[in-house]
Amino acid sequence: MSAGGFWFAAVVLVVSALIVVVAPRAPIAVGGLLALLAGLVVMDLVADAPLLALLQVVVAIVPVAAIALAGYRRKHPLLDEGAAWTGIWPVAAGAAVAFLMLVIAATAAAPGWYAGGAEESFNLMLRHRSTPVVAAVVVLALVAALGARILVHVDDEEAHHARVVADRRARQLREERRREDRARARARPGGAAGT
Amino acid sequence: MTIGSGHFVVLSAVLFALGLGGTLARRDGLGVIMSLEVMFTAIAVALVGFTRAGSNPAQPRAGLTLALVVAAVAAAQGTIGIGALLLTHRRFGRYTFDDGPHDGHGA
């Protein structure tokens, strides 16, 4: 194992974890998360597990896409309702890609197919345990995609409720501003005191 | 210098501590979920390290299987967590865990 590679990956992992934990803004934290993933990939490569690195990247597409989507929605909260492409479909597409890659990885685990030419490789392990591994990962990925799909589904009643809440909040904000303006006018010298 | 399992354990512990600190300290939902992802990364690093250090060339490296399952669990946790956050935001207009969900509920 390359000691230089290990230390490089370790520094990347620790610094990016620090960024994720302390970053005040979501986009910076998402960037830290991507750097963390890159560090993990380097660590896998250093540990002679190239296919695990590939699969981890593929599987990680799902939460990273979901986090990016959530950050985008927080920036543009009005897009919560109705904008089709900001819905769950990017996440579902990520899950589908992950599923496809896992199937390819499982079927590619045939004798003589070794990633990076390593005699003892991840494929050797997959060949022995491909069924339970792929089954577990596929079930988890499907649970994630379906769970998120159910959770973020917006029905008509919920959309109506959200509009009512937003309207009420806007009304409260306007009234509050009006009260502050009146209080400021009263506080001014020669203002309409006592009226 | 030879890299052994101890190096991986220390690195994993540091990452896990950072993630745990973030999970406890952050108040926004996104931050908490991303800190949980850091903790899952720590587990994956430990698994890769142990597999590397204790591998037998004659045996399949089963630790990598666990690492892959951990990655899938992390993906599931992150995705469902984000879904729950979006739902919370839509219902209550917030992503933070500062207050209870009283504002805007039951209108």
Side-chain angles (χ1 to χ4, degrees), chain B:
Chain B
M1 182 181 186
T2 309
I3 302 297
S5 59
H7 292 83
F8 283 95
V9 171
V10 170
L11 175 62
S12 174
V14 169
L15 289 176
F16 195 85
L18 283 172
L20 184 62
T23 305
L24 296 175
R26 294 200 72 138
R27 288 175 296 184
D28 59 311
L30 273 179
V32 170
I33 287 178
M34 285 191 276
S35 298
L36 285 171
E37 298 290 339
V38 173
M39 293 167 76
F40 274 112
T41 304
I43 297 169
V45 167
L47 283 169
V48 168
F50 281 128
T51 306
R52 173 72 197 168
S55 65
N56 178 356
Q59 294 290 323
R61 296 164 70 182
L64 299 184
T65 312
L66 282 177
L68 180 57
V69 173
V70 166
V73 170
Q77 175 272 134
T79 311
I80 292 181
I82 293 297
L85 274 184
L86 286 177
L87 198 65
T88 308
H89 180 257
R90 188 171 296 127
R91 290 268 172 139
F92 308 120
R94 68 186 58 188
Y95 271 115
T96 66
F97 297 147
D98 277 349
D99 309 308
H102 55 274
D103 189 23
H105 184 52

Side-chain angles (χ1 to χ4, degrees), chain A residues 59 61-64 66-67 88 91 141 143-149 151-152, chain B residues 33 37 73-85:
Chain A
V59 171
I61 286 174
V62 178
V64 169
I67 288 170
I88 195 60
V91 181
V143 165
L146 287 176
R149 176 74 186 91
L151 282 169
V152 304
Chain B
I33 287 178
E37 298 290 339
V73 170
Q77 175 272 134
T79 311
I80 292 181
I82 293 297
L85 274 184

Side-chain angles (χ1 to χ4, degrees), chain A residues 74-187:
Chain A
R74 184 155 70 164
K75 195 174 172 187
H76 305 280
L78 289 177
L79 291 178
D80 271 359
E81 296 169 29
W85 76 272
T86 58
I88 195 60
W89 301 116
V91 181
V97 170
F99 174 77
L100 189 65
M101 291 299 288
L102 286 167
V103 170
I104 291 170
T107 52
W113 196 89
Y114 297 117
E119 181 68 22
E120 178 214 355
S121 72
F122 187 57
N123 287 306
L124 184 64
M125 185 272 298
L126 263 185
R127 201 169 71 225
H128 285 266
R129 299 166 195 267
S130 59
T131 307
V133 172
V134 173
V137 173
V138 166
V139 166
L140 285 168
L142 286 178
V143 165
L146 287 176
R149 176 74 186 91
I150 292 166
L151 282 169
V152 304
H153 175 71
V154 184
D155 57 20
D156 291 341
E157 190 187 345
E158 198 180 344
H160 173 73
H161 171 75
R163 271 195 300 275
V164 168
V165 170
D167 287 349
R168 196 179 61 195
R169 198 166 289 139
R171 208 164 45 239
Q172 284 172 346
L173 205 63
R174 277 200 302 273
E175 285 171 8
E176 202 173 306
R177 276 201 201 123
R178 217 173 291 144
R179 270 200 301 276
E180 283 173 3
D181 287 346
R182 273 203 294 269
R184 221 173 291 128
R186 273 194 222 107

